[in-house]
Amino acid sequence: GEDVEQSLFLSVREGDSSVINCTYTDSSSTYLYWYKQEPGAGLQLLTYIFSNMDMKQDQRLTVLLNKKDKHLSLRIADTQTGDSAIYFCAENPPRDDKIIFGKGTRLHILP
Amino acid sequence: EPEVTQTPSHQVTQMGQEVILRCVPISNHLYFYWYRQILGQKVEFLVSFYNNEISEKSEIFDDQFSVERPDGSNFTLKIRSTKLEDSAMYFCASSEGHEQYFGPGTRLTVT
């Protein structure tokens, strides 16, 4: 069935790059997303990538998509304390309204 | 920047009671959604709504649940007779295309 998997925790030093990885099962998913959730807040759409792309860059964020391996990653350059949050990978299967979420990766920033 | 809003932020109710969770989607959006996140689990899709009717619903969205757009701005989720296992964070989302924007959530606690 449809599933999105990601590691639960990542610790990174302030100023380093963070790379959060995700695998998904539906190779025909049309859109893949990264959402950010800060403590006590909702889900903020950070960025998304269309399935016919392999890379998307938006300021400090770089999304890489490997369709063959069904692997998605989010790179945050120059990680700041404000980047501390849970990051959710998500897919939108074709002809489907819903978004399917992973469990989220908690990013912890070390001083 | 327009955003999705939800009220209340926290609702405590007794088992068997009816609750209505309210959402104000982004004004020019045409698609509306409800998701929930049980503590420690994934964000799960409940239902999508378009053109004043349900377009898709999950297995979770049984006869105890209903949605309504009572006027031009609000979108509500009603749970008729709450159960302990309905305790969760409920997120409303809206979109005009493939980007779903989420509200801050309503934490529902059923005692």
Side-chain angles (χ1 to χ4, degrees):
Chain A
E2 301 154 337
D3 203 8
V4 177
E5 296 291 337
Q6 51 185 130
S7 54
L8 296 181
F9 298 100
L10 177 67
S11 289
V12 173
R13 293 211 175 274
E14 192 176 356
D16 287 352
S17 292
S18 306
V19 180
I20 304 171
N21 294 300
C22 163
T23 56
Y24 59 97
T25 52
D26 193 333
S27 58
S28 54
S29 283
T30 46
Y31 290 94
L32 295 135
Y33 307 86
W34 286 102
Y35 282 84
K36 177 183 180 183
Q37 186 179 36
E38 295 180 77
L43 298 162
Q44 175 196 353
L45 177 62
L46 269 185
T47 187
Y48 66 92
I49 189 166
F50 187 52
S51 58
N52 69 351
M53 299 168 65
D54 51 22
M55 186 180 101
K56 181 178 180 181
Q57 188 151 2
D58 184 1
Q59 299 182 328
R60 291 191 297 122
L61 305 179
T62 304
V63 179
L64 295 178
L65 174 61
N66 181 330
K67 278 194 76 175
K68 176 172 156 292
D69 295 338
K70 289 180 277 188
H71 182 267
L72 184 74
S73 69
L74 174 70
R75 179 176 178 269
I76 306 171
D78 187 24
T79 310
Q80 305 296 309
T81 53
D83 295 324
S84 182
I86 300 175
Y87 291 82
F88 292 91
C89 173
E91 63 173 336
N92 172 223
R95 297 173 299 282
D96 215 332
D97 292 348
K98 65 178 177 280
I99 289 178
I100 298 167
F101 286 84
K103 268 195 154 181
T105 299
R106 184 178 294 275
L107 178 63
H108 177 61
I109 315 301
L110 300 165
Chain B
E1 188 177 315
E3 56 184 20
V4 176
T5 59
Q6 290 185 240
T7 53
S9 55
H10 191 189
Q11 172 94 47
V12 181
T13 190
Q14 287 191 325
M15 202 166 53
Q17 295 295 302
E18 174 184 287
V19 293
I20 297 176
L21 309 183
R22 300 178 195 282
C23 168
V24 179
I26 294 173
S27 63
N28 61 330
H29 286 183
L30 301 176
Y31 301 85
F32 314 112
Y33 313 83
W34 283 101
Y35 291 78
R36 78 171 186 193
Q37 185 180 30
I38 294 172
L39 190 64
Q41 297 186 26
K42 292 186 178 185
V43 176
E44 303 171 288
F45 170 78
L46 292 178
V47 66
S48 58
F49 192 85
Y50 171 71
N51 202 25
N52 279 321
E53 60 183 27
I54 291 173
S55 53
E56 186 180 344
K57 60 182 181 178
S58 71
E59 290 173 356
I60 304 166
F61 194 88
D62 61 22
D63 293 342
Q64 294 283 64
F65 292 89
S66 61
V67 288
E68 196 178 31
R69 189 153 160 81
D71 53 44
S73 59
N74 288 284
F75 179 52
T76 62
L77 173 70
K78 183 194 288 187
I79 309 174
R80 255 177 277 285
S81 176
T82 49
K83 305 188 278 283
L84 293 175
E85 53 265 37
D86 293 328
S87 293
M89 185 73 107
Y90 288 80
F91 293 105
C92 172
S94 71
S95 74
E96 55 180 340
H98 55 267
E99 298 172 51
Q100 294 186 22
Y101 293 90
F102 284 72
T106 292
R107 181 170 297 285
L108 176 67
T109 302
V110 182
T111 61

